[in-house]
Amino acid sequence: MSTQPYLLIAAGGTGGHMFPAQALSEAMLARGWRVSLSTDARGARYAGNFPEAVTRQVTAAATFAQGSKLTRALTPLTIARGVATTTWEMYRDRPDVVIGFGGYPALPAMAAAGILRIPRLIHEQNGVLGRVNRHFASRVDLVACGTWPTPLPEGAVGEHVGNPVRATILEAAGAPYRLSPDGGIDILVIGGSQGAGLFSSVVPEAISKLPWDIRDRLRLSQQVRPEDMERVQQKYAELEVEAELRPFFDDVPERLAWASLVISRSGASSVADITVMGRPAVLIPYAAALDDHQNANAQGLVEAGGAFVIQESELTPKLLAGHITEILSDPEGAAAMAQACLSQGKPDATAHLAELVEALRKTKGRPE
């Protein structure tokens, strides 16, 4: 059996859970740890960018919030099967530490670690605990908080860590901000699955309302759903705006480094990337987010002066155009926003979280 310390990461299938989990896996491998990822079949499809050295453990998981009536009725049995299978796997190959990043696929591993009394902690990316993390918060050794302050239940021990960002983001972190009165202007629009549809309608109309001296200098990168691609491309062609549209950008760090302005949802990972890079932003929180956590994520950045926030219910092309114009017509003010944004970043979040994992192993792990 390997003498390497062993970390098991439990995470759900969205980018918000998987990006920080990926960042930690990279850091722990570099520190000489063996790392596994425990997730469900859906989560495994989002794990393609994890290092090859990270082994995947696909287990049964389910939620009461999705699926047919029959599927929801069988949820307790599915969860029980996942917990039993994961407990047996951990018994055979016992991790030194288990960390959960939230999402219902993390539940079996976190429950199994509790049964086997394995040291465990959770990382919560958002300013409001998700359901699975809320359930375990007072039962684990530590809650590492990505957003601060994050309200915690009685008995939970929390520490402000920040949200780990991927190595590719860190490599470009703090790149100089550029916006000149007469040079090119780069706008990055990243909506993800919870923003691309809405942004495809509102952003082109907002761009059409910008003053010509701004619009004429624009280079736009926008995430657009395939079904909207032709319509949005045609609109920008009519506006004579240089626009690169893709369903997904695999070079977000480079685009962030060149961005004069970012328009985005305020998911935890998006906010972490924007603040570590230091870019002015217009944030549109996802209205249907559980417990309104995207507003909580944006709060600190807005209060620091690094971003404007527009509620989805108030979002109009005219209002968005006004914010874009205010930022891009004032290079000095935009640079100040970039600096304020950078002040909110936590580029050391991954290292901090890795140190917590190692400390937990030393204080509560098995004797060496």
Side-chain angles (χ1 to χ4, degrees):
M1 183 172 291
S2 173
T3 58
Q4 288 178 287
Y6 174 29
L7 172 67
L8 188 140
I9 294 173
T14 67
H17 301 305
M18 299 300 256
F19 288 158
Q22 176 190 331
L24 180 64
S25 72
E26 294 165 348
M28 299 312 294
L29 289 172
R31 289 170 182 245
W33 283 57
R34 184 163 56 98
V35 181
S36 291
L37 170 68
S38 178
T39 188
D40 68 346
R42 175 172 174 260
R45 296 197 296 269
Y46 288 85
N49 290 324
F50 275 69
E52 290 184 7
V54 176
T55 58
R56 276 69 161 173
Q57 298 181 8
V58 179
T59 189
T63 173
F64 291 99
Q66 297 176 8
S68 65
K69 288 183 179 180
L70 177 60
T71 300
R72 292 197 299 271
L74 294 174
T75 291
L77 293 177
T78 304
I79 292 174
R81 178 160 57 91
V83 172
T85 301
T86 307
T87 302
W88 173 243
E89 290 175 350
M90 285 191 192
Y91 178 77
R92 294 174 57 206
D93 187 10
R94 185 183 180 95
D96 291 278
V97 178
V98 174
I99 180 169
F101 282 87
Y104 66 86
L107 194 154
M110 296 304 295
I115 292 169
L116 296 175
R117 299 185 180 278
I118 296 171
R120 55 186 178 157
L121 69 158
I122 60 176
H123 180 273
E124 174 56 57
Q125 301 86 53
N126 298 300
V128 179
L129 288 171
R131 290 174 181 172
V132 171
N133 280 352
R134 189 183 308 155
H135 174 77
F136 287 106
S138 59
R139 296 172 170 85
V140 300
D141 296 290
L142 180 69
V143 180
C145 299
T147 303
W148 197 259
T150 297
L152 300 175
E154 186 176 353
V157 179
E159 183 168 337
H160 185 202
V161 173
N163 280 309
V165 299
R166 294 156 290 170
T168 51
I169 295 288
L170 281 180
E171 289 170 2
Y177 179 72
R178 305 175 182 88
L179 177 63
S180 64
D182 53 4
I185 297 172
D186 292 273
I187 296 181
L188 176 62
V189 184
I190 43 178
S193 59
Q194 297 173 341
L198 175 64
F199 291 178
S200 292
S201 299
V202 177
V203 175
E205 292 299 325
I207 297 299
S208 74
K209 298 181 182 300
L210 296 179
W212 178 250
D213 66 317
I214 291 178
R215 201 168 82 198
D216 185 47
R217 295 185 284 138
L218 279 186
R219 294 185 294 259
L220 191 79
S221 300
Q222 182 171 346
Q223 193 171 2
V224 177
R225 297 183 305 181
E227 58 266 35
D228 297 328
M229 191 69 68
E230 185 177 353
R231 172 177 58 83
V232 178
Q233 188 71 66
Q234 182 177 348
K235 179 65 175 179
Y236 285 130
E238 293 172 358
L239 294 173
E240 299 181 4
V241 170
E242 181 183 339
E244 185 172 357
L245 312 180
R246 294 186 192 175
F248 178 79
F249 289 111
D250 55 10
D251 57 349
V252 167
E254 291 84 355
R255 293 177 188 273
L256 271 173
W258 282 100
S260 310
L261 171 67
V262 181
I263 300 171
S264 175
R265 290 298 198 185
S266 50
S269 289
S270 295
V271 171
D273 290 350
I274 292 167
T275 55
V276 166
M277 195 68 69
R279 294 296 177 263
V282 177
L283 302 175
I284 298 100
Y286 181 46
L290 182 66
D291 297 323
D292 199 25
H293 67 251
Q294 289 210 359
N295 258 311
N297 296 344
Q299 182 180 352
L301 184 52
V302 173
E303 290 178 351
F308 291 109
V309 67
I310 303 176
Q311 301 304 322
E312 192 172 307
S313 60
E314 300 171 352
L315 179 62
T316 64
K318 182 179 180 180
L319 181 58
L320 179 57
H323 284 314
I324 295 172
T325 302
E326 182 177 349
I327 295 169
L328 297 181
S329 61
D330 180 9
E332 289 186 5
M337 286 184 70
Q339 190 59 42
C341 188
L342 191 62
S343 73
Q344 297 297 298
K346 286 277 189 178
D348 63 343
T350 306
H352 190 168
L353 189 57
E355 288 164 4
L356 291 178
V357 170
E358 293 190 326
L360 188 58
R361 176 192 175 227
K362 290 178 181 178
T363 58
K364 296 200 174 184
R366 294 171 293 170
E368 298 186 18

